[in-house]
Amino acid sequence: MTLIERLNDDMKTAMKNKDKARLSVIRMVRSSVKNKEIELKRPLSEDEALDVVAKELKQQKDSLVEFEQAGRDDLAEKARSEIAVLQSYLPEPLSEQELKGIIQEAITETGASSKADMGKVMRAVMPRVKGRADGQLVNRLVQESL
């Protein structure tokens, strides 16, 4: 079952169960997917749909930080619940150890030896960890490894 099919099925289930919070998040994601399809003028691939969900997740995490800094506990709690729903649509995240292994492989493949080669390593690593690791974490680990 593709991600888009899963979203449609889960939306129907949320409607039947009157789960307004989950339904709202699913509608938001479906809307973002549809907007991306209109922008590209074609249906999205599975990877592109995952990118849309990952982008929505990142926006919610950024909002959560802002709400917590502003002392808006009500909005922060809503953002946390939306983050939980969004994470259920993404693949299982990589552990830091698995990520370090992938980074070491990329460093070996690219022959990187200094921080000047960071771009080469990031270009090799990011496609492998797409949707399974945060870019900031990858960046930090690559810097530590070089």
Side-chain angles (χ1 to χ4, degrees):
M1 178 183 294
T2 67
L3 177 62
I4 295 170
E5 290 169 348
R6 241 178 86 203
L7 284 168
N8 289 334
D9 288 349
D10 289 353
M11 186 176 81
K12 291 173 190 172
T13 304
M15 285 175 162
K16 288 177 186 174
N17 296 338
K18 299 190 186 327
D19 187 351
K20 290 181 182 179
R22 187 170 185 82
L23 181 60
S24 170
V25 174
I26 293 170
R27 283 182 171 158
M28 174 186 64
V29 172
R30 288 186 69 228
S31 174
S32 295
V33 167
K34 192 55 120 174
N35 287 338
K36 190 70 173 176
E37 286 177 342
I38 291 169
E39 178 186 322
L40 297 175
K41 297 182 172 113
R42 62 176 171 78
L44 296 183
S45 69
E46 190 71 14
D47 282 344
E48 291 169 329
L50 279 173
D51 287 345
V52 170
V53 174
K55 181 180 174 188
E56 291 291 334
L57 179 64
K58 184 176 183 334
Q59 287 176 346
Q60 288 301 322
K61 285 182 177 180
D62 292 346
S63 297
L64 176 62
V65 170
E66 295 294 323
F67 294 148
E68 288 174 341
Q69 288 175 349
R72 294 294 308 265
D73 295 333
D74 55 331
L75 294 175
E77 191 55 43
K78 182 179 182 226
R80 280 188 202 96
S81 67
E82 290 178 358
I83 287 170
V85 172
L86 290 169
Q87 284 176 329
S88 71
Y89 291 102
L90 292 174
E92 192 66 35
L94 292 168
S95 71
E96 208 166 301
Q97 283 304 113
E98 292 171 315
L99 206 48
K100 285 179 181 178
I102 292 171
I103 290 169
Q104 286 305 318
E105 287 175 24
I107 289 172
T108 305
E109 288 171 12
T110 59
S113 57
S114 68
K115 290 197 188 249
D117 299 324
M118 189 166 163
K120 289 183 202 173
V121 177
M122 290 297 287
R123 276 190 294 280
V125 171
M126 289 312 287
R128 296 181 194 174
V129 300
K130 190 174 208 148
R132 298 183 65 202
D134 181 46
Q136 292 175 341
L137 175 63
V138 173
N139 189 317
R140 182 177 57 82
L141 292 174
V142 168
Q143 284 182 0
E144 290 173 5
S145 298
L146 291 176

